[in-house]
């Protein structure tokens, strides 16, 4: 089994509804995102997936989140938790790869709100 991981970051604001604590107020994070692809088969070039292609798909998805209020994005239903952000990124990056006919599946997406706090989403494989 092979695994490829790329990372990128974005800055965004959000607040959490139905949460009783300081995160219910509007605040921001400098998010770090890791996207992992796993597979057993390498392409004719000896790669699972070219890093450049995976980075481009992630960068395109994150451009739509960068410097926004995540609560304005209907996907998050006014509650953009790190878990929901990881789900959104996973589905969106996978859609980008599928549109490019890359033939690979994402294994997981990590979203770090801080260096010490992270949520991970694993799609059904």
């Amino acid at each position: 089994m092979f695994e490829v991981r790329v990372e990128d970051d974005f800055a965004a604001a959000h607040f959490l509804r139905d949460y009783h604590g300081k995160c219910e107020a509007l605040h921001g994070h400098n998010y770090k995102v890791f996207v992992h692809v796993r597979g057993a088969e390498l392409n004719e070039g000896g790669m699972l997936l070219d890093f450049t292609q995976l980075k481009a798909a992630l960068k395109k998805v994150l451009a739509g989140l960068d410097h926004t209020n995540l609560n304005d994005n209907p996907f998050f239903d006014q509650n953009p938790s790190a878990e929901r952000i990881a789900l959104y990124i996973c589905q969106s990056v996978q859609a980008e790869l599928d549109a490019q006919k890359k033939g690979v599946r994402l294994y997981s997406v990590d979203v770090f709100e801080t260096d010490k706090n992270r949520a991970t989403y694993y799609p059904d494989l």
Side-chain angles (χ1 to χ4, degrees):
M1 185 67 61
F2 300 96
E3 181 172 321
V4 172
R5 185 196 89 187
V6 298
E7 67 180 83
D8 206 339
D9 55 61
F10 70 102
H14 76 149
F15 60 89
L16 299 177
R17 287 184 23 209
D18 306 317
Y19 180 88
H20 304 292
K22 64 183 182 177
C23 293
E24 67 185 330
L26 182 65
H27 63 284
H29 294 283
N30 293 315
Y31 293 94
K32 184 184 293 188
V33 178
F34 293 173
V35 173
H36 305 252
V37 176
R38 282 188 178 176
E41 302 293 324
L42 301 180
N43 66 21
E44 61 280 351
M47 295 178 276
L48 180 64
L49 177 66
D50 187 328
F51 288 120
T52 303
Q53 295 166 333
L54 186 54
K55 287 190 298 188
L58 177 58
K59 187 167 286 304
K60 183 175 180 180
V61 170
L62 296 185
L65 300 176
D66 193 36
H67 285 80
T68 67
N69 179 346
L70 298 175
N71 292 77
D72 294 339
N73 185 320
F75 181 90
F76 301 121
D77 190 30
Q78 283 292 305
N79 214 2
S81 63
E83 293 86 348
R84 284 184 171 160
I85 297 167
L87 170 64
Y88 174 84
I89 293 170
C90 185
Q91 290 177 348
S92 300
V93 170
Q94 187 64 64
E96 287 293 320
L97 294 175
D98 290 346
Q100 297 173 24
K101 308 246 187 284
K102 295 303 173 197
V104 296
R105 305 298 305 165
L106 267 69
Y107 173 72
S108 66
V109 172
D110 300 312
V111 172
F112 292 80
E113 282 193 345
T114 70
D115 289 339
K116 297 178 182 180
N117 299 322
R118 152 192 106 181
T120 302
Y121 177 73
Y122 297 92
D124 293 331
L125 299 176

